[in-house]
Amino acid sequence: LVTEDVTVVEGEVATISCRVKNSDDSVIQLLNPNRQTIYFKDFRPLKDSRFQLVNFSNSELRVSLTNVSISDEGRYFCQLYTDPPQEIYTTMTVLVPPRNLMIDIQKDIATEGEEIELNCTAMASRPATTIRWFKGNKELPGKSEVEQWSDMFTVTSQLLLTVGREDDGVPVICLVDHPAVKDLQTQRYLEVMCEY
């Protein structure tokens, strides 16, 4: 028996494949993490219509699962009714992109030479998000805190920035590194008042 682990973004489609190297027409079956039978050959005893048969033959049972949720995560078992029976498992990992990304700036207008605090929060992702800060195109070090709530993570990163007059109108960008999203970022423009 051969299978691969599956990583899928919440709400998308996962495909689980159980393949047999040298088939002797033995029955292939797929079980969920609670060891309930999802498919026995091409028949689905499980009353969850999100599971659909993609391919069934002597050498493969391939099943898709639509609208994946976190509760679908875990080990799925491929079984082959040989003598003795064979079993292997595949692990499904569900990724959740951060819900929203917000920059909170301590004050809207800063005075040159002043240190201001910016916080960027990425809500409810899985795994925890990595937050990176940029001023214009220069990366700056922030300090992140991770809060876990059930199986989701909220990350807040703090950036302390001493502003100069050259920073007026420059964007500060909070960018997310996460396997479930590409190019998620938000920005705020600095407003710096000069003291004459």
Side-chain angles (χ1 to χ4, degrees):
L1 275 168
V2 193
T3 186
E4 291 87 33
D5 286 344
V6 181
T7 299
V8 60
V9 175
E10 182 187 41
E12 294 186 0
V13 180
T15 304
I16 304 169
S17 169
C18 302
R19 293 186 306 286
V20 184
K21 279 203 181 122
N22 344 349
S23 169
D24 61 355
D25 297 349
S26 297
V27 171
I28 311 174
Q29 133 166 310
L30 177 64
L31 309 176
N32 70 10
N34 301 326
R35 296 195 78 90
Q36 297 164 303
T37 302
I38 302 170
Y39 270 94
F40 180 86
K41 296 188 181 175
D42 55 355
F43 170 68
R44 191 188 79 221
L46 195 71
K47 296 282 179 276
D48 185 343
S49 60
R50 294 179 309 139
F51 288 100
Q52 293 293 326
L53 196 58
V54 178
N55 182 34
F56 171 71
S57 67
N58 287 340
S59 56
E60 184 184 44
L61 171 60
R62 193 183 322 151
V63 173
S64 68
L65 170 60
T66 52
N67 196 13
V68 172
S69 77
I70 288 187
S71 56
D72 295 316
E73 194 170 83
R75 284 181 178 181
Y76 289 75
F77 300 90
C78 296
Q79 284 184 341
L80 191 60
Y81 280 89
T82 46
D83 185 21
Q86 298 173 51
E87 175 177 288
I88 54 169
Y89 67 83
T90 167
T91 303
M92 187 185 297
T93 305
V94 180
L95 307 174
V96 182
R99 291 285 183 253
N100 48 5
L101 194 60
M102 295 172 309
I103 293 183
D104 186 42
I105 196 161
Q106 180 188 9
K107 47 190 347 188
D108 285 333
I109 299 175
T111 313
E112 79 173 305
E114 186 178 10
E115 184 181 65
I116 58 167
E117 179 186 318
L118 296 98
N119 286 289
C120 183
T121 306
M123 307 284 287
S125 72
R126 175 158 192 233
T129 300
T130 302
I131 291 179
R132 296 165 64 194
W133 287 100
F134 292 86
K135 183 177 79 174
N137 51 13
K138 179 171 181 272
E139 186 158 359
L140 303 171
K143 198 175 78 190
S144 286
E145 277 186 12
V146 179
E147 276 180 81
Q148 185 172 359
W149 187 76
S150 74
D151 38 19
M152 300 287 222
F153 298 90
T154 289
V155 179
T156 301
S157 180
Q158 181 192 60
L159 177 67
L160 295 173
L161 194 58
T162 303
V163 293
R165 66 178 67 191
E166 71 282 355
D167 292 324
D168 187 49
V170 170
V172 172
I173 298 157
C174 165
L175 179 129
V176 155
D177 257 348
H178 193 275
V181 282
K182 289 257 188 295
D183 306 324
L184 178 62
Q185 59 179 62
T186 185
Q187 60 185 32
R188 292 282 292 268
Y189 290 92
L190 296 171
E191 279 191 63
V192 182
M193 276 192 339
C194 301
E195 290 191 329
Y196 294 108

